[in-house]
């Protein structure tokens, strides 16, 4: 019994020490490579290294607001750059936030660091977006945990919060996957959207994937009910899609449904 207990404690210690590598899966690239990929984008587009974001600008005559996008736990912001066409077609500047340790950036991602920077990025673009144009926060997967905290803590709330394949908390997601471990004691970064979402009273759009194999389907549905209890909420349900397959299939009209 003592050997089994010792082995179990060693597993817990390993998971505690390695949780950053398990939760965050960054890929990196250089700024010059990114700028080369952006050479054909509209005038004014570029990399904001001060505020850690990729910015794509629609034609000034068509501009109607700003969308700030917080991506998931893997890859980097660059891989979402092709979707700018949908946002520009709707008249939106697209700001793709990049996390510490991802893309061109050094450092280690942590929840506190990511949210602090996300708030600063939001405040920067809120001030630069002419009133009464909207500033919309959009998060995907892990990014929904970031976007929800920004919406709840911002001095001036965003015009809308859009959550794509969200969850109530990383603690819940991890507990379902590692049911044999005391994850609530082990986790440092919890991204507890269920605690922050009730603090935001503005409109919310949620996209759920009916076959979500990463966070599961029930946690997003429960967050949807929580959103409905606190204020205006709309749902876009992709019954046949998994956690990531829906995004290349989404039409400009469906993006419009989420943003408006």
């Amino acid at each position: 019994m003592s050997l089994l207990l010792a082995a179990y404690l060693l597993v817990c210690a390993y998971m505690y020490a390695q949780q950053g590598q398990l939760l965050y899966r960054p890929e990196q690239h250089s700024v010059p490579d990114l700028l080369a990929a952006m050479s054909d984008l509209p005038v004014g587009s570029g990399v904001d290294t001060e505020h850690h974001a990729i910015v794509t600008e629609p034609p000034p005559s068509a501009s109607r607001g700003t969308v700030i996008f917080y991506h998931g736990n893997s890859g980097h912001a660059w891989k979402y750059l092709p979707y700018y066409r949908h946002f520009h077609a709707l008249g939106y500047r697209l700001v793709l936030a990049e996390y510490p340790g991802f893309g061109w950036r050094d450092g280690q991602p942590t929840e506190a660091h990511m949210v602090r920077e996300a708030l600063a990025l939001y405040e920067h673009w809120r001030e630069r977006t002419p009133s009464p144009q909207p500033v919309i926060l959009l998060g995907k997967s892990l990014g929904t945990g970031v976007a929800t905290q920004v919406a709840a803590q911002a001095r001036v709330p965003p015009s809308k919060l859009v959550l794509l394949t969200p969850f109530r908390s990383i603690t819940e997601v991890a507990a379902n996957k590692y049911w044999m471990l005391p994850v609530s004691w082990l986790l440092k970064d919890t991204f507890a959207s269920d605690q922050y979402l009730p603090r935001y009273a503005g409109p919310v759009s949620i996209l759920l994937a009916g076959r979500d194999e990463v966070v599961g389907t029930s946690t997003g549905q429960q967050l949807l009910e929580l959103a409905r209890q606190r204020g205006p909420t709309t749902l876009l349900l992709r019954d046949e899609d998994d956690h990531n397959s829906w995004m290349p299939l989404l039409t400009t009209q469906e993006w419009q449904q989420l943003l408006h």
Side-chain angles (χ1 to χ4, degrees):
M1 180 64 72
S2 60
L3 287 177
L4 287 176
L5 178 59
Y8 182 77
L9 292 175
L10 281 174
V11 171
C12 290
Y14 174 82
M15 296 295 286
Y16 181 82
Q18 297 297 315
Q19 61 184 278
Q21 286 70 33
L22 293 170
L23 179 56
Y24 305 110
R25 299 177 179 272
E27 297 174 8
Q28 294 194 300
H29 59 76
S30 69
V31 171
D33 286 345
L34 175 57
L35 289 173
M38 299 179 67
S39 60
D40 294 331
L41 292 183
V43 173
S45 301
V47 181
D48 181 352
T49 54
E50 180 181 357
H51 298 97
H52 317 301
I54 303 168
V55 182
T56 69
E57 293 282 359
S61 61
S63 180
R64 62 172 298 166
T66 300
V67 174
I68 303 175
F69 181 90
Y70 305 100
H71 66 78
N73 73 322
S74 64
H76 44 62
W78 181 358
K79 75 177 185 179
Y80 297 97
L81 189 55
Y83 297 102
Y84 85 90
R85 294 179 177 85
H86 295 294
F87 296 90
H88 285 199
L90 297 170
Y92 290 106
R93 169 191 295 113
L94 178 62
V95 179
L96 298 168
E98 191 56 286
Y99 306 136
F102 287 73
W104 69 89
R105 299 194 57 194
D106 296 327
Q108 295 294 324
T110 66
E111 179 178 9
H113 194 174
M114 291 160 66
V115 172
R116 183 168 62 251
E117 290 190 345
L119 274 163
L121 180 67
Y122 167 72
E123 294 295 347
H124 173 74
W125 284 104
R126 183 183 63 81
E127 292 173 1
R128 293 194 61 181
T129 301
S131 179
Q133 290 186 0
V135 180
I136 299 169
L137 297 185
L138 191 157
K140 178 182 183 292
S141 190
L142 186 76
T144 65
V146 178
T148 300
Q149 291 192 45
V150 173
Q153 298 180 51
R155 291 178 297 165
V156 177
S159 307
K160 191 166 193 178
L161 176 63
V162 181
L163 305 176
L164 312 172
T165 57
F167 48 80
R168 291 199 303 176
S169 71
I170 286 294
T171 306
E172 180 184 36
V173 174
N176 288 334
K177 186 172 184 178
Y178 302 105
W179 53 268
M180 73 297 295
L181 298 176
V183 294
S184 61
W185 294 357
L186 299 175
L187 281 180
K188 301 175 185 177
D189 294 349
T190 61
F191 293 95
S193 293
D194 55 352
Q195 295 181 20
Y196 287 94
L197 187 56
R199 305 182 197 177
Y200 172 66
V204 173
S205 288
I206 292 180
L207 181 145
L208 298 180
R211 299 183 178 182
D212 194 323
E213 80 291 5
V214 175
V215 303
T217 57
S218 63
T219 187
Q221 292 167 347
Q222 291 164 355
L223 192 71
L224 171 68
E225 292 308 313
L226 182 62
R228 286 172 169 166
Q229 292 170 18
R230 43 102 261 155
T233 305
T234 59
L235 168 67
L236 178 58
L237 179 61
R238 303 281 302 190
D239 273 320
E240 300 303 315
D241 291 326
D242 61 29
H243 190 71
N244 293 306
S245 63
W246 58 270
M247 198 163 185
L249 305 175
L250 217 60
T251 66
T252 300
Q253 290 71 30
E254 286 171 314
W255 281 113
Q256 182 178 35
Q257 179 182 340
L258 290 166
L259 297 172
H260 292 176

